[in-house]
Amino acid sequence: MQSLLNLSRRIDAFTRGVGKRLAWLILVAVIVSAVNAIVRKLFDTSSNAWLELQWVLFSIVFLLCSPWTLLDNEHIRIDIVNNMLPKRVRDVIDLIGHAFFLLPLTVVMIITGAPFFMRSFAINEQSSNAGGLPQWPAKSLITIGFALLFIQGISELIKRVAVMRGLIPDPHAAQVHALEAEVEHLVEAIEKR
């Protein structure tokens, strides 16, 4: 199990590094959007390539940073219900969710996304919009993003099994989500009244 935990740590470090670097593309997308809007208003001209670039940048962040979201336990779940359950039940739910839902979904998306990308690449598919960008780089993001999510899902499974066996402390045990912190703050404010 120790070698699996070492693998998990390497996956986590890779995921965090990729996520932190690619998250900066949100700023690039905002700058591209602002420049595009300013140019359109001042010079009454625009380019479909710049508009499509915004979409591609957002897609990169959304798809390639999703493993980082999973790593930091910020993915969507019903926290109100989840937090009322015993720790052991939450661990089992995470284990089942990752093994039977997340990983199979990522495999399906990789299997179906790869030919989708390959066909687009083979014909050098271009945007149907005048002056638009090539489409195949954006389509490659589906396969790449879900492959990275699959790898992070494996890491999460390894950690969850290790937590359940008592080999490591829960990496998310002390984590307080922003919503939970806000609710606690509101409760404290109400109690002071």
Side-chain angles (χ1 to χ4, degrees):
M1 189 72 187
Q2 212 51 39
S3 61
L4 289 175
L5 285 170
N6 286 335
L7 173 64
S8 175
R9 280 189 285 278
R10 287 195 302 274
I11 292 170
D12 291 353
F14 174 77
T15 296
R16 191 172 307 284
V18 167
K20 284 185 174 185
R21 284 170 182 80
L22 292 180
W24 283 100
L25 291 180
I26 289 291
L27 177 62
V28 175
V30 168
I31 292 169
V32 167
S33 177
V35 169
N36 196 27
I38 291 168
V39 168
R40 188 174 59 245
K41 294 296 181 188
L42 290 180
F43 303 109
D44 196 28
T45 186
S46 186
S47 166
N48 285 329
W50 288 103
L51 184 61
E52 290 180 8
L53 179 61
Q54 294 171 71
W55 301 339
V56 171
L57 290 170
F58 177 77
S59 298
I60 291 170
V61 173
F62 183 81
L63 288 166
L64 303 188
C65 289
S66 62
W68 185 28
T69 302
L70 181 63
L71 170 64
D72 283 350
N73 201 34
E74 294 293 335
H75 53 288
I76 296 173
R77 64 174 54 164
I78 305 171
D79 286 330
I80 295 169
V81 174
N82 191 49
N83 290 341
M84 293 186 335
L85 298 172
K87 171 84 172 89
R88 184 81 174 156
V89 173
R90 287 184 300 204
D91 288 342
V92 170
I93 290 170
D94 280 349
L95 189 70
I96 290 170
H98 287 84
F100 296 108
F101 296 101
L102 175 67
L103 293 180
L105 171 70
T106 59
V107 169
V108 167
M109 293 304 294
I110 292 166
I111 290 171
T112 59
F116 181 65
F117 157 69
M118 294 303 287
R119 278 190 304 271
S120 181
F121 180 76
I123 64 170
N124 193 24
E125 184 179 5
Q126 300 295 311
S127 173
S128 60
N129 298 316
L133 299 176
Q135 294 298 295
W136 59 267
K139 290 182 177 184
S140 73
L141 296 173
I142 296 168
T143 304
I144 295 167
F146 279 97
L148 293 174
L149 190 58
F150 175 82
I151 293 167
Q152 187 58 44
I154 295 293
S155 175
E156 295 303 313
L157 263 179
I158 292 167
K159 289 184 289 191
R160 193 54 42 206
V161 168
V163 165
M164 292 174 75
R165 293 173 80 187
L167 300 175
I168 62 170
D170 189 342
H172 306 298
Q175 184 179 25
V176 176
H177 294 284
L179 182 59
E180 292 170 355
E182 184 66 25
V183 168
E184 287 177 19
H185 178 69
L186 289 172
V187 169
E188 288 174 7
I190 291 170
E191 288 175 352
K192 287 182 182 178
R193 286 183 145 198

